[in-house]
Amino acid sequence: MQFTSLPKSYHVFLSETVRRIQLELEGEEGCYPLKLSLVSLPPEGGPLDYLSAEEKKKYYGFHYPRRRNSYLLGKLAAKMAVAGEQEDLAGIQIEHGILCQPLVAGSTRRVSITHCDTLGAAVDYDPRLLAGVDMELVDEKAVEAIRRITSSQEEELNNEPGTLLATPLFLTLLWTAKEAMSKVIQTGFTVPTELFEIKQCSRSGQGVISQFKNFPQFKAVSVLRNEYVYTLVLPAKAMTDATESRLLQALQGLLPESLANTAKAAER
């Protein structure tokens, strides 16, 4: 199925399940294209034409709905991020490297993927960049677990003027920034989590720009929602202050306010 056939054949699916935006980062040394996708979980029995025969076989081979859902969200988000107007979606193969990093088979394009609950997201980025994306539910039950990998200095960041957030939301913000940074260096949390310590957070409405203690070359751009946090980590040199503002504005428009909205769309 070519991407251009989606609007005609699956108008409801595309408008209620898939969101895409394309941006150009303006940095100190040039411009860098960036494509982002956000997908909500399609309803059971929805179209699967974007999966290859092998992917469909694997999808139907999962015994548990939760595993099927996470597989579908990851594949759909990645394909929708990287797809060109004339590309056959089923022909786009998202594979994994030796450290489980996602790869676009037969292409130099780079992609980072995340999903939580009923949402999946991906970023297709210029090979000259390094990028990572993460999205996590805000869960009060997870507060103590996240606090164990949060330094006292990091917790103090939430007391600075203009930053104060509810504790579960703030800790989830830190977690997503660290997780996204771990995807940039392709280690995950197999290294000490202290490596990803956050040294500064600057809040702007429902957005936050964070900086790392040990990775000063990068910034984390986060959008806050009551139920979840979305974070994209990019090189600081790839963004001017104006670019950061435009990126935050674009992400605000991409991300739904509530997960309930995506669940209702999937039911229809």
Side-chain angles (χ1 to χ4, degrees):
M1 180 173 63
Q2 287 187 337
F3 179 79
T4 48
S5 71
L6 267 174
K8 185 182 295 184
S9 303
Y10 300 114
H11 173 70
V12 174
F13 173 79
L14 186 64
S15 62
E16 296 185 347
T17 301
V18 178
R19 302 181 183 193
R20 300 196 338 158
I21 56 172
Q22 187 165 343
L23 307 168
E24 192 166 76
L25 300 179
E26 298 172 7
E28 299 173 6
E29 300 176 358
C31 297
Y32 310 89
L34 200 67
K35 293 195 293 183
L36 302 118
S37 71
L38 184 84
V39 301
S40 53
L41 185 64
E44 286 284 342
L48 292 176
D49 299 19
Y50 50 86
L51 296 180
S52 67
E54 187 61 32
E55 288 170 336
K56 287 180 184 177
K57 182 179 179 181
K58 191 168 184 178
Y59 169 74
Y60 287 119
F62 293 122
H63 296 294
Y64 300 104
R66 187 172 181 178
R67 184 66 188 93
R68 285 200 302 272
N69 293 347
S70 64
Y71 179 81
L72 201 60
L73 284 171
K75 292 293 184 186
L76 181 57
K79 287 171 183 264
M80 290 302 175
V82 306
E85 293 298 312
Q86 301 301 321
E87 283 195 85
D88 176 9
L89 295 175
I92 299 174
Q93 297 294 314
I94 308 298
E95 300 178 347
H96 292 90
I98 195 168
L99 297 177
C100 293
Q101 73 274 24
L103 303 170
V104 184
S107 173
T108 59
R109 289 179 297 186
R110 307 289 296 275
V111 64
S112 181
I113 306 169
T114 186
H115 57 79
C116 77
D117 199 64
T118 58
L119 290 180
V123 53
D124 171 33
Y125 54 97
D126 189 302
R128 294 172 295 167
L129 293 176
L130 292 170
V133 65
D134 191 53
M135 188 164 52
E136 300 288 343
L137 289 174
V138 178
D139 184 358
E140 290 192 16
K141 296 177 182 176
V143 165
E144 290 310 313
I146 301 176
R147 188 166 262 151
R148 285 197 287 272
I149 64 164
T150 304
S151 69
S152 57
Q153 290 84 358
E154 287 175 308
E155 291 210 49
E156 282 298 316
L157 294 175
N158 198 31
N159 296 324
E160 294 182 4
T163 306
L164 188 61
L165 298 169
T167 299
L169 182 60
F170 179 72
L171 292 177
T172 305
L173 164 70
L174 296 182
W175 174 275
T176 59
K178 294 175 182 182
E179 178 85 20
M181 187 67 237
S182 77
K183 293 178 180 179
V184 171
I185 63 173
Q186 299 184 354
T187 62
F189 283 161
T190 60
V191 297
T193 53
E194 294 86 351
L195 184 66
F196 306 111
E197 184 173 346
I198 306 296
K199 73 170 185 179
Q200 184 178 332
C201 292
S202 302
R203 186 175 178 184
S204 174
Q206 290 302 303
V208 175
I209 305 293
S210 303
Q211 297 182 50
F212 299 89
K213 178 180 178 180
N214 298 309
F215 297 98
Q217 315 95 318
F218 292 90
K219 287 185 178 181
V221 181
S222 302
V223 172
L224 309 176
R225 297 294 188 238
N226 289 331
E227 297 170 278
Y228 68 98
V229 178
Y230 172 103
T231 295
L232 179 62
V233 169
L234 292 164
K237 289 172 64 175
M239 298 181 289
T240 62
D241 290 344
T243 302
E244 286 179 14
S245 297
R246 285 197 297 272
L247 179 57
L248 266 176
Q249 199 170 31
L251 291 174
Q252 293 279 8
L254 178 72
L255 300 165
E257 289 292 336
S258 170
L259 292 172
N261 295 341
T262 65
K264 289 176 182 176
E267 290 169 2
R268 288 199 292 269

